[in-house]
Amino acid sequence: MGIGAYAVEISNPDRIVFPDAGFSKADVVAYYERAAPLMMPHLMGRPLTLQRFPRGIGAKGFMQKNAAKHFPSFIERVPVVHQERETIYPVVHDAMGLRYLANQGTVTFHIWTTRARALDRPDHIVFDLDPPRGDPAAARTAARDVRTLLQELGLASAVCATGSQGYHVLFPVRPELDLVAIGLFCRRVAELLARRHPERLTTEFRKKNRRGRVFIDWLRNRHGQTVACPWSLRPRPGAPFVAPLTWDELATTPPDLHRLPDVEARLRRGDPYANLEPADLTAARDHVARATAGFDLKPFDRFRS
């Protein structure tokens, strides 16, 4: 089968992917084809972890990091060694690759904050705000808190409804600093926020220690970590997607408001992230380092914390 065939053929197009809403694989592939113009700038060139549901979200799915041997040549393979183990990540560069992986049963595309050509140099920062279950208002307040601190640091940001329970605050950066430096910066920002608003924000990784507060997940900005790509569908009832918002929309937009049929209306609004210039973090890093100089930032191990 050649590239042209991949561009037009959908296997099992009538297979139901979202049982509650009746959306089929053909609907999912069509969604990604339509979203591709605004989604690809976020996605292309990045190592991907694919959240696949070959039999639909009503059956058990799985997370796939290694590119399958049968993936065609237009899906790039990028080897990454982490803790002495090599993973061969898939990378796409155009809408054809996006369509192919959607046809493989991918519902959600999880992206690195780095591109494959510069695996240790992030060009994207994201804070994932995880509220107590059923409390989107707390997540909205947390998103505004993050935005306010970033503004104080001279950094403009965008916000996404995650299609799940919370929001992402994100912004592009110049790919000049390595993952260690970016990770430390993000941790300092999160710790500063948690100390500024201790009654509602926390950096506690374990849920039992959060005590009803919103978790500021800065860990997405470390080596090998991923985040659901803007415009990506989520494997939840109704087929919600990660929806870029304007800050004015945040107050009236639940995290899972936007669903697969809404994509045309959302695309017409554009993507606020696209209007942001990649930030120079020099001054912001210095400011945050001074503000957190007395903090006890012990080495973090998510498996021991």
Side-chain angles (χ1 to χ4, degrees), residues 65 80-87 89 112 223-225:
K65 293 184 178 182
V80 179
V81 177
H82 181 58
Q83 295 181 344
E84 300 182 356
R85 297 183 63 181
E86 183 178 69
T87 301
Y89 285 90
W112 282 37
H223 177 79
Q225 300 302 302

Side-chain angles (χ1 to χ4, degrees), residues 259-302:
R259 309 295 174 93
L260 184 151
D262 303 328
V263 65
E264 293 290 345
R266 290 310 305 178
L267 290 170
R268 286 194 293 270
R269 291 173 177 262
D271 188 335
Y273 185 93
N275 299 322
L276 300 179
E277 292 294 327
D280 178 349
L281 292 181
T282 303
R285 287 179 70 213
D286 289 345
H287 181 103
V288 170
R290 290 193 300 270
T292 59
F295 292 9
D296 182 15
L297 301 181
K298 298 177 181 178
F300 181 87
D301 183 342
R302 63 181 301 171

Side-chain angles (χ1 to χ4, degrees), residues 5-130:
Y6 282 123
V8 297
E9 183 174 338
I10 304 173
S11 60
N12 301 305
D14 296 328
R15 176 172 289 162
I16 297 301
V17 178
F18 291 91
D20 70 299
F23 298 136
S24 67
K25 184 195 279 192
D27 294 323
V28 170
V29 174
Y31 169 88
Y32 279 117
E33 287 180 327
R34 189 65 191 92
L38 294 187
M39 185 173 179
M40 287 307 300
H42 295 277
L43 183 83
M44 63 183 179
R46 298 189 191 277
L48 300 175
T49 295
L50 310 174
Q51 191 170 7
R52 294 177 59 192
F53 294 84
R55 298 187 179 279
I57 70 167
K60 186 176 181 180
F62 60 94
M63 303 293 284
Q64 179 176 346
K65 293 184 178 182
N66 277 288
K69 291 182 179 180
H70 68 266
F71 284 1
S73 59
F74 57 84
I75 305 293
E76 183 183 359
R77 278 80 164 165
V78 175
V80 179
V81 177
H82 181 58
Q83 295 181 344
E84 300 182 356
R85 297 183 63 181
E86 183 178 69
T87 301
I88 309 298
Y89 285 90
V91 176
V92 301
H93 296 281
D94 53 32
M96 187 187 308
L98 182 65
R99 175 188 171 97
Y100 176 84
L101 293 176
N103 185 50
Q104 292 291 302
T106 302
V107 169
T108 305
F109 292 82
H110 298 267
I111 58 174
W112 282 37
T113 61
T114 65
R115 310 271 178 177
R117 295 291 181 265
L119 283 171
D120 196 44
R121 292 290 185 273
D123 64 357
H124 172 78
I125 282 175
V126 58
F127 293 96
D128 182 6
L129 304 172
D130 185 9

